[in-house]
Structures are given as C-alpha cells and as structure tokens.
Amino acid sequence: MNANTIVQKLWRLCTVLRKDGITYQQYVTELTYLLFLKMMAERNRETGSIPKSRRWADLVAANGLSKLELYRKVLVDLGATTTRLGKDDALVTPPTDDASSEERKRYQDARPLPEMVQKIFDNASTFIREPQNLTTLVTAIDELDWFSEDRDQFGDLYEGLLQKNAEETKRGAGQYFTPRVLIEALVRLMQPKPGEVIQDPAAGTGGFLIAADRYMKDRTDGYFDLPDSGAWQKSQAFHGMENVPGTLRLLLMNLYLHDLDSGHIDLGDTLSEKGKGLGRADLILTNPPFGPAGGAPTRDDLSVTANVSSYQLPFVEHCIRALKPGGRAAIVVPDNVLFEDGRGRQLRQMMMDWCDLHTILRLPTGIFYAQGVKTNVIFLTRGKTETGNTKAVWIYDLRAQMPKFGKTTPLTAAHFEGFEQAFGTDPYGGERGADEGEAGRWRRFSREEIAARGDNLDIAWLREAEEEAEEGLTEPDDIAAAILGHLQAATLEIEALMAELGDDLPEAAE
C-alpha cells in the first residue's frame, strides 16, 4: 500500500467520525494521539516513555466502552506533569495527603515522562463520544501497513493528512498550512546549509522547518556525511514558536516523524517577551499570521511597531531584528506591508536600511484563503550596518495575468519556474536575470525610484482585471473564499487607517 493510498484510507475514516460531531481538524488531532501511540509501539520506544497500562496494545485489546474509558485515561495521564514511571514502567500516581512514607518515596523515586510525550498530550482530550467509532479508528490504524515505510515516509504520510485537512477546511486550517509547493520553492531559493540556525517564528505545523531539513538531508546523505552524523542538525538547528496549542501538537508530531528534536520549539506568542527567546538566526523562513492581533506587541524591543495592533508588521520587525549580520530571510506578507503609510512606511525604511531587500515576489491570488488577502514574499539579507543596505529591489509579478487558483486550478511547482530562473542561484540575491521591462514580469527598481514613490513597494505594471479571473470560479468554496478575501483585505486597510488616525490624535486628558 503506497503513501497516497494510506492517506486516502485514513481520511475516508473521517466521514465515519463526522457522525460523532467531529470536525476535520479534530479528526487530525485524534489521529495525532493514536498514531503517536502506535508508532511508539512499532519502534519499540514505549519503555521509559509510556506506562505499561497506557500502551497501544492495551488500547487495541480493550473492548467497547472500556476502550473509550481507557483512551480518555491515556490522554489525561500522558499529558499530566505529575505522571511518573516506576520500576518496570508501572504508572505511579501522586501520593494523597494520607499516603504512607513508602508511597511518597515510591513516587519521589519514579521517573517523569519524557518532555516530548507531555508536550504532545498536554491538556489532551478526545472528541469521540461513541465507543464504536473509536474501535473503528483503532482497528483501522492497527491494520494499516503504515510502518513498513522508511522514517521520512512517515512524515510525508502525516503531512498528507495535514494537507487534506487544509484542502477541506481552507477558511480555518489555512491559518497554519502554507502550500507545500510555495514552501519548497522558497527553500530551494534560500538554500539552507548544515550548521545554520533556521527559525520560523510562526511555525504552524512545521512546513518550512521540515522542508529545510529535507533539502539539507538530500545533499548530505541524510546528514551521514557530516562529522557528527547530524546530531547538531537534529537537536540544535531548528528553532520555532507556535501560539496555538492544538497546532503545536501537530508540529511536534511532524518533527518527531522526521527525526528532529523539539527542544527549541516552544508554545508562545512571538510578539511577547517570550519571543525574544527564539534568539538570532542565519535563516528565517516564515508565513506569519495576518490581521488583527488583539493588541499591540508586549515586547520592549519592537520599537517601530510597538503600537501596531496587527500581526504582520511586528512579525516583520521581529524577523529583521532576529537575523544575524549576513543572515537571510524569505517572509510571506500581505500587500498592506508594502503600501501602508505611517508605521508601515517606517518599517519599510528600517528594512531597507538594515537589510538588503533585494527581491519581492507578488504571489497569485487564491492560495491563502484563510487570511483572505493578497500576498507577497519579501527576500532580504541583514547587513553588517544599519544604513543604506538596499541599493535596488527586483520585483517579480506572478499575480497579473494568472488564473484564480483554487480547487479547480491548483498551484504547482511549474508556476514558479520563471521566477526561480529570474532570481538566480545566489540565495543572497547576487545573481539576477535581465530586467524584462514593462512587458515582462521581472523588473528592477532603484532605491532612489522607491524613495520617490514615498517608499511604497506595492508596485504593479502588468494590468488585468481581477474580476475577470474571479468570474471563472465555479466551486462554492472558492467563490465564498474570494468574497471573504475582499472583506478581510478591506478590514486590514481600515485598521491601518485607524492606526494612522490614532497616531495623530492628541492623548486624552486625565
């Protein structure tokens, strides 16, 4: 059974569980718990990690209601920081107030669960209500020949499930799922190297980190060509932060399946003080969240965007500050980052002073329905000084005269071929294809020309009515998403205007 067949089989089971009121995202979360238990058993890693009474074989052997009750206990116990393992991996519960000294000592001497286990099962609970539905799911997973594939294939299978989830629930799942063809294109252009610290401050399910890892493994015989056989790469190279607990579970599972350590992956808000703990990076690859953030950043080092109550501008400032001198980044941003006045303009000035903002890719519409706005990728290299690093910006327009992407017209790697050729083989933007002029997609704009535009980087020269592309939409999901996109784009512009007015208004008297 090949990988795609396994993904399709597992995904079809979701239709069975829909009768239990389970959404697609909840289904993938349930699979995360069950697949982790199954894989720990198949890889003989239960010893020292999973209590004997909470293992996959115990779950398979239980029947009916007892299976569901056991499953609930598994989720609670494996996620509790108080759970400990005694001799022979027996479950040792915390002592009660009237416990004997022997019982207290037994608990004190017991081993805590590994951090990875506790992170995946932290505050875990099941959405399944009917015992038969759990039996169906456990039986199907137990019978699948999932584990005859090599390690990397495990990750590919899991990512296949994440992609199915995103395709079925674009308006929700898309908040953490970036199209894999875009991720792979950016990784090819940025060329991550062994020994570099690679960061994603909005890690989602780990698409950028996993793709960077795969890129380097393919060029170092799975890291075996490295002096330490990849020990540093697996445990130190990848840093990230994710603010949604449920998404963090998927991220941790994805890293585990790709044999990567999660020691530098944390739950938290990058725009809070905790975000400073991500440290400095040689390479940043990220698709930050867009839209209102529910308040300004609480970090004291984001001076330019300190009072901005949306995600996109402060995340860009984080990336600028987090890059080491000579470090590079590819960041997905909405259009308003390129044209917003006030704080937006100040941020662009900072970016072009501190960094060489050498390339902007105008992305096609219809690939980020959850965010609902037009998007771009900015490519930059942090300078050794904080002045005058950007001499010119090259812009590739992959939006104009392109189809409206959606279910009926998927985005593929072939769509990026022209851009990759124009970008060249230098990840720092030192090799450029020829300027194609107003009739082409690839053009150069000097720093002086940009300054004359008020540092507005939202530059388009190829014209085509977007409405014509949208008239070709036929899928109800695509049509609804296009409408949502217009509404959310308008909301972003209103928020930017309100922020500008707010900056100009006098402070209220006390």
Side-chain angles (χ1 to χ4, degrees):
M1 188 179 295
N2 62 37
N4 185 62
T5 302
I6 294 174
V7 169
Q8 294 293 341
K9 184 175 178 63
L10 284 173
W11 195 251
R12 281 196 297 272
L13 291 174
C14 184
T15 59
V16 176
L17 298 183
R18 290 302 292 270
K19 295 184 297 183
D20 222 354
I22 295 176
T23 67
Y24 291 113
Q25 186 171 347
Q26 290 169 342
Y27 173 58
V28 174
T29 301
E30 295 285 355
L31 282 179
T32 299
Y33 303 144
L34 294 169
L35 292 174
F36 183 84
L37 293 171
K38 170 70 169 170
M39 284 185 296
M40 293 294 279
E42 292 289 334
R43 292 177 175 174
N44 296 316
R45 292 188 179 180
E46 292 174 313
T47 301
S49 299
I50 310 292
K52 280 188 174 179
S53 58
R54 301 292 186 265
R55 295 179 176 176
W56 180 254
D58 301 307
L59 196 58
V60 172
N63 294 307
L65 183 59
S66 63
K67 186 190 293 285
L68 183 56
E69 291 173 347
L70 174 60
Y71 181 47
R72 288 170 176 159
K73 291 178 182 178
V74 168
L75 299 184
V76 171
D77 290 340
L78 296 188
T81 57
T82 56
T83 299
R84 290 177 174 251
L85 298 170
K87 293 181 180 179
D88 299 325
D89 286 340
L91 180 65
V92 182
T93 57
T96 59
D97 293 339
D98 58 351
S100 65
S101 57
E102 290 80 6
E103 289 174 319
R104 294 179 184 277
K105 186 176 187 308
R106 179 170 176 261
Y107 181 76
Q108 185 177 2
D109 293 341
R111 310 181 307 277
L113 293 180
E115 184 179 12
M116 165 65 86
V117 176
Q118 290 185 338
K119 279 184 174 181
I120 287 181
F121 290 91
D122 182 42
N123 289 318
S125 61
T126 181
F127 303 101
I128 298 174
R129 299 190 298 266
E130 294 295 329
Q132 182 54 47
N133 288 337
L134 177 61
T135 298
T136 300
L137 198 53
V138 170
T139 301
I141 292 174
D142 197 52
E143 292 176 349
L144 281 175
D145 190 19
W146 181 283
F147 303 97
S148 64
E149 308 287 346
D150 60 50
R151 178 182 300 277
D152 284 344
Q153 189 70 9
F154 295 163
D156 292 343
L157 294 172
Y158 189 68
E159 286 196 82
L161 290 171
L162 297 179
Q163 183 168 352
K164 291 291 291 183
N165 182 33
E167 289 171 353
E168 295 294 338
T169 56
K170 284 181 184 176
R171 291 180 294 277
Q175 65 183 301
Y176 59 78
F177 193 92
T178 306
R180 289 299 179 255
V181 291
L182 173 59
I183 288 176
E184 290 164 2
L186 299 186
V187 168
R188 284 194 300 271
L189 294 171
M190 290 291 96
Q191 301 175 32
K193 302 176 181 66
E196 292 185 323
V197 173
I198 301 170
Q199 181 189 123
D200 184 348
T205 55
F208 279 112
L209 301 180
I210 299 301
D213 171 65
R214 183 182 295 118
Y215 179 92
M216 291 184 286
K217 280 178 177 174
D218 289 345
R219 287 154 181 79
T220 56
D221 191 24
Y223 295 146
F224 289 113
D225 289 349
L226 302 181
D228 61 355
S229 296
W232 188 91
Q233 286 297 125
K234 296 175 183 178
S235 62
Q236 302 296 325
F238 300 100
H239 295 230
M241 186 164 287
E242 171 53 45
N243 198 32
V244 180
T247 306
L248 180 70
R249 270 190 244 281
L250 308 182
L251 168 60
L252 294 174
M253 184 69 166
N254 214 2
L255 294 174
Y256 174 79
L257 286 166
H258 287 87
D259 196 27
L260 294 178
D261 191 280
S262 62
H264 295 286
I265 306 296
D266 207 353
L267 175 68
D269 180 6
T270 299
L271 304 183
S272 71
E273 284 297 303
K274 195 171 186 179
K276 291 195 291 188
L278 281 169
R280 307 293 292 278
D282 299 286
L283 172 61
I284 293 177
L285 297 163
T286 190
N287 175 18
F290 308 155
T298 56
R299 283 171 55 169
D300 58 11
D301 62 331
L302 300 181
S303 57
V304 175
T305 59
N307 299 319
V308 177
S309 296
S310 61
Y311 284 111
Q312 54 270 23
L313 296 180
F315 260 97
V316 172
E317 183 174 357
H318 162 82
C319 293
I320 295 170
R321 294 183 180 277
L323 282 175
K324 298 177 183 179
R328 60 204 186 282
I331 311 165
V332 179
V333 297
D335 274 9
N336 77 303
V337 171
L338 304 183
F339 67 73
E340 186 173 316
D341 207 355
R343 297 287 182 173
R345 182 178 182 181
Q346 293 174 33
L347 178 66
R348 291 191 298 277
Q349 291 171 339
M350 173 193 182
M351 179 165 50
M352 288 186 283
D353 279 340
W354 289 34
C355 305
D356 178 13
L357 175 62
H358 53 81
T359 310
I360 296 175
L361 170 63
R362 291 171 62 83
L363 288 170
T365 56
I367 64 173
F368 290 112
Y369 281 156
Q371 291 87 349
V373 294
K374 298 174 184 178
T375 53
N376 314 266
V377 183
I378 55 176
F379 297 83
L380 50 88
T381 302
R382 176 72 185 267
K384 294 182 179 180
T385 64
E386 296 179 1
T387 56
N389 279 287
T390 299
K391 307 301 181 185
V393 180
W394 288 80
I395 300 178
Y396 192 94
D397 192 340
L398 194 60
R399 183 182 305 166
Q401 301 172 10
M402 295 291 286
K404 181 76 174 181
F405 290 99
K407 278 187 176 182
T408 55
T409 309
L411 185 70
T412 68
H415 290 109
F416 292 97
E417 289 178 357
F419 170 62
E420 292 186 48
Q421 184 176 0
F423 186 98
T425 59
D426 182 4
Y428 301 93
E431 178 187 313
R432 312 272 80 176
D435 189 320
E436 298 175 356
E438 293 186 359
R441 295 188 180 276
W442 181 235
R443 294 189 64 189
R444 178 187 186 275
F445 297 87
S446 70
R447 182 66 184 90
E448 292 74 22
E449 289 176 301
I450 293 169
R453 292 174 48 84
D455 292 323
N456 185 325
L457 291 167
D458 186 28
I459 304 173
W461 59 95
L462 295 175
R463 300 297 178 184
E464 179 179 343
E466 181 179 309
E467 290 77 10
E468 292 180 9
E470 292 184 351
E471 285 175 3
L473 297 179
T474 57
E475 291 287 337
D477 282 353
D478 291 343
I479 295 170
I483 295 171
L484 180 64
H486 288 298
L487 292 174
Q488 293 187 345
T491 300
L492 285 177
E493 293 184 22
I494 293 170
E495 288 171 357
L497 177 60
M498 291 178 65
E500 283 306 299
L501 293 174
D503 284 345
D504 295 335
L505 291 175
E507 295 184 5
E510 294 184 0

